[in-house]
Amino acid sequence: MDDMTVGITALGSAPLFAGLDREHLENILRFGQRVSFDAGQDIVRRGDPGDAMYIIVAGAAEVDVGGRFHRLGQGDFFGEMAVVAGRPREATVTAVEHLEALRIPADDLQAFLLEEPKVAVGMLKSLVERLREVQDRLDTWIGGVW
Ligand code: CMP
């Protein structure tokens, strides 16, 4: 299988890209730079500027959110928060096995989302989930303090 077919198969199986036809999946693959990371390598670090977001094509990563870890796998994305908000990275994301990803530079993200509105809506849903998770943690913490 060539690189494009591998990428299309990987993205097509992810909830974020469900329902997108081959043409759209190809467009997404064209937008991103293919990058890879070894197990144990930090991909983004908390506090760094947000220069790009990433979509995982193969492998897995972990997000360290205040000592709690979220595992991300094929088709998941990360690194969007700092890019969208123009603020430093919220968390460190580390490859936990060899990881292949698409890197979408910050300068291209807006054009990418305007071309692929279904992906934009899917990202919005995931962002709300992440915000709720942070809110739940805060509620638990405040509940514990009081
Ligand atoms: P960013 O802040 O750019 O860099 C770290 C990334 O970790 C962040 O974007 C999100 O993509 C991801 N992230 C942060 N918090 C969570 C969370 N609670 N669950 C899953 N991913 C998260």
Side-chain angles (χ1 to χ4, degrees):
M1 269 201 279
D2 60 75
D3 253 19
M4 185 63 94
T5 311
V6 171
I8 285 173
T9 308
L11 294 187
S13 64
L16 180 62
F17 306 108
L20 293 185
D21 60 25
R22 190 183 169 97
E23 192 192 327
H24 284 272
L25 294 173
E26 279 180 7
N27 191 35
I28 293 165
L29 286 166
R30 266 194 297 272
F31 248 101
Q33 307 156 345
R34 289 297 280 264
V35 289
S36 63
F37 300 89
D38 293 326
Q41 206 177 339
D42 288 343
I43 304 166
V44 305
R45 288 200 182 93
R46 183 179 162 84
D48 281 356
D51 55 351
M53 71 160 268
Y54 297 82
I55 300 167
I56 300 177
V57 174
E62 250 176 11
V63 189
D64 178 353
V65 273
R68 282 219 291 197
F69 294 90
H70 288 279
R71 195 177 171 96
L72 303 175
Q74 195 180 76
D76 288 332
F77 65 89
F78 60 90
E80 79 295 350
M81 287 183 170
V83 175
V84 171
R87 304 278 301 270
R89 299 281 188 204
E90 284 280 329
T92 295
V93 182
T94 307
V96 289
E97 53 189 68
H98 181 78
L99 185 138
E100 308 270 341
L102 282 178
R103 179 181 187 274
I104 301 180
D107 289 347
D108 297 338
L109 185 63
Q110 192 168 335
F112 170 69
L113 294 178
L114 288 173
E115 268 195 36
E116 297 297 342
K118 280 190 177 169
V119 177
V121 172
M123 280 179 61
L124 210 59
K125 288 181 181 165
S126 296
L127 269 170
V128 171
E129 286 305 314
R130 286 174 186 176
L131 278 175
R132 289 177 70 111
E133 189 272 334
V134 173
Q135 186 64 51
D136 285 350
R137 250 180 322 125
L138 266 178
D139 289 347
T140 308
W141 181 74
I142 290 169
V145 168
W146 289 97

